[in-house]
Amino acid sequence: MSDTSQGPGWWLASDGRWYPPESHPNAVPPPPPPAPPSAPRPTKPLGFQPLGTSTAQWTQVALWAVAAAQVLQGFFAYRYWQAFTDWYDRRTGTFEQATSAQSTYSNVSTLAWLVWVVALILLAVWSGHVHTTTTSLLPGNRVRTYSRAWAIWVWFIPVVNVFSTPQVIAENQRIADSHRRNNQVIESWRSTPIQTELYWWWALVAIGMVTSGVGGRIMAEDVTTSREYLGGLTAVMIGSGITALGLAIGAVFITDLNEKLKA
């Protein structure tokens, strides 16, 4: 307050004194300052989407586990072959020893197939993740032969998976191996050669499984001689070894592919 006006808006009260504008009974308070602009909501980054570490690791472990199971199956098939021969041909073993060896072989074979089923599921999940990652590396048109759904479900389609699954893997491998510019592959990625490890993986596993399957079918039928039965068991031994070798090559192939898609 003051005895004289101090400028515009000052007002004279009944006590004869001057008061500033903000103290007037009818004064309107100034509006509050505007709120600061909110930060924009973060959007999902576009571009390269690296392959998850857990997906890659579990798939590698699954293939090595199946390879190990095939080695065990072949080993216990040999033990059964030896026990059967000692009892039936050489008369140096007992029927109980042969029966025990057969039981162990059957249990290991069942375990090997269970590991196969788990590995198959993990491979299908891995295939879907790899498809997503490789698609993120493609140029803007993103044209490719196989869809993500096909890359997953083809693993479970009998007969078709023998021929189509390696083609899906080959397409992913071509993209992963192609030269990149700013995390985008060049347009000529389809001309990237297929690694020979993929051929060996698929061919050896196919040959090994067919050989083991034929051997198992011979053993399941009513064979007339012990030689026929032992021949089927021998086929199982050979097929298990070939399959294990193919799976080991496949595990190395997948490990290399996963490393290329992590960063």
Side-chain angles (χ1 to χ4, degrees), residues 54-263:
S54 59
T55 301
Q57 290 177 343
W58 278 111
T59 308
Q60 294 161 202
V61 169
L63 271 188
W64 283 115
V66 179
Q70 289 297 304
V71 171
L72 288 175
Q73 178 174 288
F75 172 76
F76 283 103
Y78 169 73
R79 293 289 300 272
Y80 176 35
W81 181 92
Q82 192 176 43
F84 185 89
T85 303
D86 289 343
W87 165 68
Y88 194 86
D89 291 342
R90 300 172 185 169
R91 306 301 178 182
T92 57
T94 64
F95 177 76
E96 288 74 16
Q97 289 173 332
T99 303
S100 176
Q102 180 188 28
S103 177
T104 303
Y105 161 72
S106 298
N107 292 335
V108 171
S109 297
T110 301
L111 176 63
W113 278 110
L114 290 175
V115 176
W116 258 116
V117 171
V118 174
L120 187 64
I121 295 173
L122 288 173
L123 282 167
V125 174
W126 168 82
S127 185
H129 284 287
V130 170
H131 188 281
T132 299
T133 298
T134 51
T135 300
S136 71
L137 286 170
L138 293 177
N141 51 18
R142 300 183 183 277
V143 176
R144 61 185 306 172
T145 305
Y146 303 102
S147 67
R148 185 175 185 273
W150 182 253
I152 296 172
W153 292 108
V154 68
W155 291 86
F156 304 104
I157 305 176
V159 181
V160 175
N161 54 12
V162 176
F163 303 99
S164 185
T165 305
Q167 296 176 4
V168 173
I169 300 173
E171 184 178 64
N172 288 325
Q173 178 252 301
R174 280 188 166 121
I175 298 174
D177 283 349
S178 183
H179 295 292
R180 306 179 194 176
R181 287 194 296 265
N182 299 323
N183 272 334
Q184 295 285 287
V185 298
I186 60 178
E187 294 290 343
S188 58
W189 63 267
R190 294 182 184 275
S191 62
T192 303
I194 299 175
Q195 294 182 17
T196 56
E197 288 82 357
L198 177 57
Y199 291 116
W200 281 109
W201 168 20
W202 218 251
L204 289 175
V205 170
I207 293 171
M209 292 189 68
V210 168
T211 304
S212 296
V214 170
R217 180 173 292 274
I218 293 174
M219 295 171 62
E221 294 176 350
D222 294 330
V223 294
T224 57
T225 66
S226 63
R227 289 301 169 191
E228 293 179 2
Y229 189 82
L230 290 175
L233 194 54
T234 301
V236 172
M237 285 189 287
I238 296 174
S240 296
I242 296 174
T243 303
L245 178 60
L247 289 168
I249 295 174
V252 174
F253 172 87
I254 283 183
T255 300
D256 178 67
L257 181 61
N258 288 341
E259 289 299 322
K260 293 173 183 175
L261 295 177
K262 287 182 180 179

